[in-house]
Amino acid sequence: MIRMIALSITAVGLSGCLPPAYEAEPASVYQWQRRQEAVERQEAERVRLCAIMSTDTDRYRRDCRRPGDPVR
């Protein structure tokens, strides 16, 4: 009985270590278009927030830096 409880607790604990669930690629043109529009909206929001954020903050360095940006 105790082994069964210990095993179930271990299984639940290790489930957090699994990779994220599989996300299927869009199957239709409409789904691809919606996905692309969502990506563009997210990027526009990121650019908008970065434009109003102070460049000296850790959040700016974490969220707004892109590969190839000069290091400050």
Side-chain angles (χ1 to χ4, degrees):
M1 183 69 168
I2 292 176
R3 275 190 214 150
M4 208 155 175
I5 293 172
L7 256 151
S8 63
I9 289 173
T10 303
V12 169
L14 288 176
S15 67
C17 299
L18 295 175
Y22 173 73
E23 185 176 326
E25 293 289 325
S28 70
V29 174
Y30 176 71
Q31 289 172 333
W32 277 105
Q33 184 64 33
R34 288 192 57 195
R35 178 178 181 263
Q36 186 62 32
E37 289 170 355
V39 168
E40 289 172 358
R41 278 193 308 275
Q42 290 170 350
E43 180 64 13
E45 179 67 10
R46 185 193 70 78
V47 168
R48 185 187 71 78
L49 290 173
C50 290
I52 61 175
M53 201 181 303
S54 172
T55 59
D56 297 330
T57 62
D58 289 333
R59 183 176 177 194
Y60 181 86
R61 285 188 282 285
R62 181 187 69 228
D63 296 342
C64 300
R65 298 284 310 269
R66 289 292 186 213
D69 284 351
V71 178
R72 290 184 181 185

